[in-house]
Amino acid sequence: WAEEDIYGFYNHRWTVENRIKESRYGFGIDKVPTDKFYANYAALQLKMIAYNLVSLFQTEVMEMGRLRMSIRSIRKMFFNIAGRLIKRGRQKILKLPEDYIYRDRYLKMRERLVCL
């Protein structure tokens, strides 16, 4: 092939190795949970749905575009938060710690989720 043709063929595949690595380390696609084919197939499909949902979350809610964070970083920054869930009337409210360093980003993402 000519150099331009090779570049055109591989140009859209430049992040595939990183995506495979992220799905392996972040979602455990390299783990085979049972000795049953269809159960393993279903588990793999669910893991890939979770991966796609996190990618959509990064694009739409976190507004990261093509820039990606690892699932470990997302869990650490936004999901593993020591907070209190309190109930006022019929509403449940998540009280974030006062020293939570990602508070502003977290609240902006919550607002974007409401708008979707």
Side-chain angles (χ1 to χ4, degrees), residues 3-111:
E3 292 175 4
E4 295 83 17
D5 295 336
I6 293 172
Y7 175 78
F9 182 74
Y10 285 106
N11 188 31
H12 300 290
R13 295 172 176 83
W14 60 277
T15 62
V16 74
E17 290 89 2
N18 293 334
R19 292 174 190 246
I20 292 170
K21 183 173 68 172
E22 175 65 23
S23 59
R24 182 182 304 143
Y25 294 127
F27 295 93
I29 67 164
D30 58 338
K31 307 289 188 268
V32 180
T34 69
D35 59 346
K36 307 288 186 210
F37 174 78
Y38 289 110
N40 292 333
Y41 177 73
L44 177 64
Q45 293 298 318
L46 287 173
K47 291 173 185 179
M48 294 314 299
I49 289 171
Y51 175 82
N52 288 331
L53 286 173
V54 168
S55 293
L56 183 66
F57 180 81
Q58 287 182 356
T59 304
E60 298 296 323
V61 178
M62 295 176 74
E63 293 184 342
M64 296 187 70
R66 291 188 148 191
L67 181 65
R68 296 279 183 236
M69 291 176 72
S70 70
I71 187 63
R72 178 182 288 172
S73 297
I74 292 172
R75 284 182 189 138
K76 181 180 173 187
M77 292 170 69
F78 302 113
F79 295 117
N80 295 341
I81 304 169
R84 278 188 305 173
L85 189 62
I86 61 171
K87 199 172 176 184
R88 284 200 184 140
R90 293 183 180 193
Q91 270 190 328
K92 292 182 181 178
I93 300 170
L94 176 64
K95 297 289 262 181
L96 297 174
E98 292 297 323
D99 60 344
Y100 178 51
I101 60 174
Y102 303 110
R103 175 186 288 273
D104 294 335
R105 278 182 81 179
Y106 181 84
L107 294 175
K108 284 180 188 175
M109 288 189 315
R110 279 184 50 186
E111 289 174 11

